[in-house]
Amino acid sequence: MEDLRGHARVLKELKLIDYGESPQFKGVELTELGKFITNLTIEDEPILAGEMVQTRSGAKPLGQLLKDLRRQVLHMIANAGSGHLGASLSIVDILAILYFMKMQHDPINPDWEERDRLVLSKGHAAPALYAVLSEAGYFPKEELTTLRELGGRLHGHPDTVTPGVDAKTGSLGQGLSMAVGMAYAAKLDKASHRVYVVIGDGELHEGQVWEAAMTAAHYGLDNIVTIIDRNKYQLTGTTEEVKGVEPIADKWRAFGWNVLNVNGHDHFAVLDALEVCEHTHGKPSVIIAATTKGKGVSFMEGNKFSRSVPNAAQLKQALEELDRR
Amino acid sequence: MQLKSQVDYFGRALLEKGTANPDIVVLDADVSASTKTSYFQESYPERFIEVGISEQDMIGIAAGLSLSGKIPVAAAFATFIVGRAWEQVANTVARQSLNVKIVGTHSGLTPSADGESHQSIADIAVTRVLPNMVVEVPADAAAAGWATRELLDRKGPVYLRLGRGSFPMIYPDDIELEVGRAETLLDGDDVTIVSTGSMVHVALSAAETLMEEGLSSRVLDMHTIKPLDCDALEKAASETGCIVTVEEHSVIGGLGGAVTEAVSERKPVPISRVGIKDRFGQSSRNYQALLERYGLTPEAVAGAARKVVESK
Ligand SMILES: Cc1ncc(C[n+]2csc(CCOP(=O)(O)OP(=O)(O)O)c2C)c(N)n1
């Protein structure tokens, strides 16, 4: 067992395990052994789980932080009585890596001009962003209980009244265009900050995404990184059933982007890809992050908790499962 | 009063009409479980087009279907279907006066918890401004069912505005209204309260309060915003001498705007507009609490009525 895990890690570090360019999800099933080995390589002992990151309450191992964030997302949505749980859980790892290991930002000074920007174009995953911003120190943790409350600062979709939120979103497909504007402004100002955009895979249906993709490439905006949360689902079903989006990588490449494929829950791989983007000049980069909707709680994975809210028993069960991990 | 869902009645009426008429084709943009076009989809999957999260594309496709003799019904959340796709609605559908039925659900502040990005405060304004468009805003589930059946029997572009959730029933299930004719729900001579959609029952309860104070109100359900029933408004202005409008929409360009335009030309009288006061919506877990915050309550309507009566 130990050997297997050790080998898997070595294979991965040597980049001998590849997640493939354009995964075809429809109809592909891993065998039990395949699942077991995949889990070992990615989940059981994530390479960066022990890495210490700075949070508002001091340094914490990344693994612990991620558990805390997932716990908060669950509590927030259960408490609010509505919210997109699955869509939020699928991007917890990505947002945490960005805010705690990559982005230049200052929770004490949210309007710092040189900060890296983040546009959460799939705005319905706001709870994940709020949990991350609060852990980073933008606002008190107690405020998380006010999600979607009248008069509060944590609206159903990201709002700039929340400290740390860079743009209002919620109407899908509009985030990348705003990011293009921000990145262009940074170029005009000869500023070195970068602009990150997180978009959904179903969101790729919106034509505006492709208008912006063309514009970003035309102007060589290498200070933009688009991260596609490729969780394979949207509201009505899988993306491939509703309206196929594959081959995603080929589409972006044809639009002139630098394309990277990673497993979005493999922290090492995500960080590595972000690094590659930083060293890519003359064109924008897109990271296609293969993720699991509802990630972190086995019975919430897939589309079951796309919109539905956990009841008290489900919440308890979910929290217990997170504790056991 | 019994509470019933407008989208449920819409979905069922659509299924019924679709069964009778094989030319009806339904389109949705990844929200069929919310708009209830899912009922139609289950029975007639081959006449259901799921376009995904592509509202602009959906309106264009509906136009093409109409140009080929089909009767397309396109549904999605109000703010996305006529907001995001407004120029397609204007330049492709309305300009060609195509037989496209556009259904916006989750209108006004009804998606309260989702917040301002999902609420629609301007959909009546942006549709009624377009030549050739008919704009229907039913007051309850029964009227939503009627409007659905009616618009499918008539040619031309229509915008049908529906709310999320359930509303008090004002009409019996088999109600038949008349497009372009305001429904007088209560007669009175001190003030006229003109209301539309989700605010009709609010107008009725305001009238009750006013009645107890000795003020008699006429309550009109303006279920068709376009063509507007200008005759009923002129009559109301002459006979009651003042008007209050009530809507879950911006007072700019919506029912309040439309009534003010008509009355100022036909028979100017004092008007007070109750509605969303030039601001966006916001998140609230509780829909009623949000209506209170925005002054869309019977008390606020009664207050506006008292004031406007005084200014006669
Ligand atoms: C313009 C627009 N249309 C429709 C919606 C409603 N909506 C909210 S989430 C969602 C599905 C998004 O799917 P995807 O981008 O795959 O994100 P996921 O939830 O799967 O992470 C839809 C259609 C919206 N927010 N904006």
Side-chain angles (χ1 to χ4, degrees):
Chain A
M1 177 73 178
E2 265 310 306
D3 277 358
L4 197 55
R5 191 179 286 161
H7 289 149
R9 200 184 309 141
V10 170
L11 285 173
K12 212 162 96 59
E13 279 178 2
L14 290 174
K15 299 210 169 24
L16 292 176
I17 295 182
D18 185 9
Y19 296 105
E21 276 268 297
S22 166
Q24 289 293 337
F25 297 97
K26 220 178 175 183
V28 175
E29 284 269 327
L30 283 175
T31 60
E32 284 311 308
L33 181 64
K35 273 187 206 154
F36 178 70
I37 293 178
T38 315
N39 282 339
L40 279 182
T41 60
I42 307 164
E43 307 218 335
D44 246 32
E45 203 183 323
I47 297 166
L48 296 178
E51 196 82 359
M52 297 302 277
V53 291
Q54 274 306 323
T55 71
R56 62 176 310 120
S57 49
K60 263 190 206 185
L62 179 66
Q64 182 59 46
L65 170 71
L66 291 168
K67 269 191 201 180
D68 290 349
L69 292 171
R70 288 201 154 83
R71 222 176 262 132
Q72 284 155 10
V73 166
L74 282 160
H75 275 301
M76 286 164 85
I77 292 175
N79 190 41
S82 66
H84 295 255
L85 183 54
S88 300
L89 289 175
S90 86
I91 59 161
V92 164
D93 303 74
I94 290 165
L95 290 185
I97 289 162
L98 281 169
Y99 276 93
F100 293 95
M101 304 183 90
K102 180 48 77 185
M103 286 166 57
Q104 303 284 321
H105 65 115
D106 181 4
I108 313 287
N109 182 10
D111 298 328
W112 177 40
E113 281 190 8
E114 284 150 56
R115 74 188 186 282
D116 290 336
R117 308 308 202 258
L118 181 123
V119 179
L120 182 59
S121 193
K122 48 167 280 182
H124 57 286
L129 180 61
Y130 297 152
V132 165
L133 291 176
S134 153
E135 273 285 338
Y138 282 92
F139 53 84
K141 200 171 146 195
E142 295 68 49
E143 204 169 332
L144 292 177
T145 59
T146 66
L147 177 70
R148 296 181 164 224
E149 208 165 75
L150 181 59
R153 296 196 293 182
L154 305 184
H155 294 198
H157 291 78
D159 195 296
T160 42
V161 295
T162 310
V165 171
D166 289 321
K168 290 196 185 198
T169 51
S171 177
L172 293 167
Q174 304 198 17
L176 186 53
S177 296
M178 283 193 276
V180 167
M182 292 173 179
Y184 200 101
K187 294 275 183 194
L188 284 177
D189 294 344
K190 308 221 175 336
S192 61
H193 61 260
R194 303 175 66 73
V195 185
Y196 296 94
V197 198
V198 178
I199 73 180
D201 46 4
E203 188 178 0
L204 296 176
H205 290 165
E206 287 288 2
Q208 191 183 344
V209 173
W210 301 98
E211 297 176 19
M214 211 184 289
T215 311
H218 178 78
Y219 288 103
L221 297 176
D222 50 16
N223 47 352
I224 290 188
V225 179
T226 297
I227 300 168
I228 300 172
D229 178 28
R230 181 70 176 118
N231 62 24
K232 282 79 87 185
Y233 285 97
Q234 54 189 111
L235 283 186
T236 312
T238 67
T239 53
E240 299 317 281
E241 283 161 3
V242 174
K243 182 160 89 178
V245 292
E246 291 291 349
I248 301 179
D250 291 348
K251 288 190 172 88
W252 288 84
R253 211 174 282 121
F255 272 68
W257 287 59
N258 171 43
V259 180
L260 296 111
N261 280 287
V262 300
N263 176 316
H265 304 301
D266 180 337
H267 315 128
F268 187 81
V270 172
L271 204 54
D272 198 36
L274 290 168
E275 190 93 20
V276 172
C277 299
E278 264 170 357
H279 295 106
T280 301
H281 299 294
K283 51 160 111 172
S285 290
V286 58
I287 298 174
I288 303 169
T291 55
T292 302
K293 207 161 175 175
K295 177 70 183 177
V297 181
S298 54
F299 68 94
M300 292 179 168
E301 291 183 356
N303 226 16
K304 293 179 287 279
F305 282 80
S306 176
R307 286 239 64 178
S308 63
V309 173
N311 60 30
Q314 289 166 328
L315 177 64
K316 184 161 172 280
Q317 190 188 340
L319 294 170
E320 280 169 6
E321 187 181 325
L322 279 175
D323 281 341
R324 276 198 309 274
R325 288 212 171 198
Chain B
M1 268 192 272
Q2 217 183 350
L3 298 177
K4 286 202 173 155
S5 151
Q6 287 196 318
V7 286
D8 179 55
Y9 272 55
F10 156 69
R12 288 197 279 139
L14 184 59
L15 174 58
E16 180 194 313
K17 296 299 283 187
T19 302
N21 187 345
D23 282 338
I24 292 175
V25 179
V26 176
L27 303 93
D28 204 300
D30 195 27
V31 285
S32 57
S34 302
T35 61
K36 302 301 177 207
T37 57
S38 52
Y39 304 168
F40 182 94
Q41 180 190 18
E42 280 156 27
S43 298
Y44 303 104
E46 73 291 349
R47 280 193 276 140
F48 179 85
I49 306 178
E50 170 61 81
V51 297
I53 314 169
S54 310
E55 295 82 3
Q56 296 168 306
D57 187 29
M58 176 166 72
I59 296 299
I61 296 167
L65 287 162
S66 163
L67 284 166
S68 307
K70 302 294 177 199
I71 305 171
V73 179
F77 295 178
T79 195
F80 304 135
I81 197 166
V82 295
R84 179 58 147 275
W86 183 81
E87 218 254 339
Q88 283 77 9
V89 172
N91 230 333
T92 302
V93 173
R95 195 159 64 87
Q96 307 186 84
S97 198
L98 296 179
N99 193 22
V100 173
K101 315 304 178 186
I102 300 165
V103 183
T105 67
H106 295 55
S107 65
L109 301 173
T110 59
S112 57
D114 278 333
E116 64 182 2
S117 62
H118 284 52
Q119 296 162 358
S120 72
I121 58 158
D123 54 315
I124 295 177
V126 302
T127 49
R128 99 178 165 85
V129 74
L130 298 173
N132 301 327
M133 286 293 285
V134 167
V135 180
E136 293 274 351
V137 187
D140 68 0
W146 162 76
T148 306
R149 290 187 296 271
E150 200 284 332
L151 62 85
L152 284 165
D153 286 338
R154 202 160 27 87
K155 268 206 150 48
V158 178
Y159 173 54
L160 174 64
R161 181 191 218 228
L162 304 175
R164 170 189 185 274
S166 293
F167 300 92
M169 285 297 262
I170 293 163
Y171 297 113
D173 268 6
D174 56 358
I175 183 71
E176 295 281 330
L177 300 166
E178 197 181 319
V179 175
R181 267 257 330 259
E183 193 69 13
T184 306
L185 296 176
L186 195 70
D187 210 358
D189 43 33
D190 293 325
V191 59
T192 300
I193 307 176
V194 186
S195 55
T196 197
S198 59
M199 288 293 116
V200 174
H201 76 91
V202 172
L204 283 170
S205 61
E208 237 170 79
T209 310
L210 292 167
M211 183 71 83
E212 287 160 18
E213 298 167 11
L215 275 181
S216 106
S217 335
R218 177 177 303 183
V219 176
L220 299 184
D221 170 9
M222 196 61 82
H223 51 79
T224 310
I225 307 285
K226 190 181 187 181
L228 190 68
D229 188 349
C230 296
D231 293 342
L233 290 171
E234 184 177 345
K235 194 160 172 276
S238 306
E239 294 172 6
T240 68
C242 62
I243 292 175
V244 176
T245 62
V246 201
E247 65 199 301
E248 196 178 324
H249 182 277
S250 174
V251 293
I252 301 172
L255 175 73
V259 169
T260 308
E261 287 159 16
V263 171
S264 68
E265 283 183 357
R266 293 253 194 136
K267 172 78 188 143
V269 295
I271 296 178
S272 174
R273 295 168 303 158
V274 176
I276 299 169
K277 299 270 161 51
D278 198 16
R279 60 193 288 209
F280 282 102
Q282 60 182 294
S283 274
S284 174
R285 292 176 189 174
N286 185 303
Y287 170 56
Q288 281 308 324
L290 189 60
L291 292 182
E292 275 163 38
R293 175 68 62 96
Y294 279 68
L296 299 175
T297 59
E299 298 72 47
V301 175
R306 281 181 212 112
K307 265 203 176 142
V308 81
V309 166
E310 264 172 39
S311 69
K312 269 208 260 191

